[in-house]
Amino acid sequence: MPELPEVEVTRRSFADRIAGARVQAVRVGKPLRWPLGCDPQVLVGQQVQVVTRRGKYLIVHLDGGVLLLHLGMSGSLQFAPQLPPPGVHDHFELETSHGRLRLHDPRRFGAVVHAPSLDDARVRKLLDGLGVEPLEGGFDARVFHEALQRRRAAIKPVLMAGDIVVGVGNIYASEALFLAGIRPTVRADRLSRSRVARLHAAIIQVLQKALALGGSTLRDFSSAQGESGYFQLDAMVYDREGQPCRVCGTAIRATRQAQRSTFYCPRCQKP
Ligand SMILES: [Zn+2]
């Protein structure tokens, strides 16, 4: 599943190139997770201003509204002057004066949603509940600790819920908790201020590393230029059940939390 670093890598790979382009045609394929919310013809003639990101939503700002794009479980975007004819899994395409932006999404959990502005009720419903951006100035260790004090659930599902901080999906939650030496099953409200400070630093470190490497290589992910990243190759715990911990040599354990696999080192990560 594309996580925040992959989405940000995707954004950076086409945002500058599509800025200023005029939409010339729109092609809509099979239904995605949510309907577009407008007649595709409404988009024709509009100019792309900038492409921003909030959580895992890419926001294409047009002079007549916004397009929110979500990659779902298996989506990827391509942007190029020319692309081969659309295949069965290509479900949305903007033909612009600078190139074609195409959403490829075999499982169709992704979405493209149009709204007149970011204040629109449909957009607010998707974006309002999102936590702070971990790679921007608003992510503060003290505020993070206060928010965790109000949660009695285990720290890993609390991180993954995304309403305190966005972007910490399964891989990055497992890796950040390892770096911070915290067992994923510890209750969020039982973490001391100093442990939360270590976790805060670890989240930033893990996400920045993934961004630098171009996002993790996941089955269906490729950035808008068709490159893939390498983060998973040097994961400390994620998907390493039974293998020796890279720090202490103890076998990595796997468990399930909130229907998701969790990986941890029983020696390095304290309850
Ligand atoms: Zn270890």
Side-chain angles (χ1 to χ4, degrees):
M1 185 187 314
E3 297 207 47
L4 185 143
E6 287 87 341
V7 177
E8 178 61 16
V9 167
T10 298
R11 188 190 71 79
R12 291 179 186 180
S13 69
F14 78 95
D16 288 349
R17 293 185 293 142
I18 203 172
R22 285 247 174 237
V23 178
Q24 294 168 330
V26 179
R27 196 188 71 85
V28 176
K30 289 191 187 138
L32 293 163
R33 182 166 177 185
W34 300 302
L36 179 61
C38 72
D39 178 343
Q41 288 306 310
V42 167
L43 304 176
V44 175
Q46 294 199 32
Q47 188 172 29
V48 177
Q49 294 168 335
V50 291
V51 182
T52 59
R53 180 188 55 75
R54 180 73 179 95
K56 296 206 290 186
Y57 291 92
L58 288 175
I59 306 171
V60 179
H61 299 256
L62 301 163
D63 49 6
V66 291
L67 268 187
L68 263 65
L69 285 83
H70 196 285
L71 302 179
M73 304 286 287
S74 60
S76 59
L77 283 173
Q78 266 188 301
F79 181 72
Q82 289 299 329
L83 290 171
V88 291
H89 299 305
D90 297 327
H91 302 301
F92 185 83
E93 188 163 314
L94 276 187
E95 187 182 330
T96 77
S97 53
H98 294 184
R100 289 167 188 265
L101 181 68
R102 176 182 289 178
L103 175 65
H104 176 84
D105 188 0
R107 297 182 64 182
R108 290 196 281 129
F109 284 104
V112 183
V113 172
H114 176 264
S117 80
L118 287 177
D119 293 326
D120 184 81
R122 255 184 112 208
V123 172
R124 298 279 301 264
K125 199 175 149 199
L126 298 174
L127 303 185
D128 273 3
L130 298 179
V132 301
E133 290 288 335
L135 298 177
E136 290 167 20
F139 187 40
D140 176 83
R142 192 179 51 81
V143 176
F144 185 40
H145 180 252
E146 282 167 12
L148 293 179
Q149 289 291 296
R150 296 190 284 270
R151 302 298 172 91
R152 302 175 68 176
I155 182 63
K156 181 164 172 272
V158 166
L159 288 178
M160 289 181 61
D163 57 341
I164 294 178
V165 54
V166 297
V168 193
N170 202 16
I171 298 176
Y172 304 120
S174 294
E175 293 295 299
L177 287 165
F178 175 82
L179 285 184
I182 296 170
R183 191 79 58 92
T185 46
V186 179
R187 261 174 56 171
D189 61 349
R190 299 252 168 100
L191 287 169
S192 66
R193 189 176 290 259
S194 63
R195 295 188 92 190
V196 170
R198 281 201 294 278
L199 179 57
H200 173 266
I203 289 169
I204 293 170
Q205 185 185 333
V206 162
L207 291 173
Q208 274 179 343
K209 185 176 167 193
L211 255 190
L213 292 173
S216 55
T217 314
L218 291 171
R219 213 172 32 252
D220 300 315
F221 169 73
S222 63
S223 77
Q225 287 175 317
E227 295 160 3
S228 54
Y230 316 96
F231 179 72
Q232 243 188 300
L233 294 182
D234 63 355
M236 299 299 276
V237 289
Y238 184 78
D239 206 18
R240 296 193 67 235
E241 182 180 11
Q243 295 179 51
C245 171
R246 297 192 202 277
V247 172
C248 75
T250 305
I252 299 299
R253 286 193 196 156
T255 182
R256 304 280 295 173
Q257 284 180 292
Q259 289 86 50
R260 302 297 300 274
S261 344
T262 290
F263 302 90
Y264 67 97
C265 171
R267 184 156 171 206
C268 294
Q269 293 176 258
K270 309 292 185 210

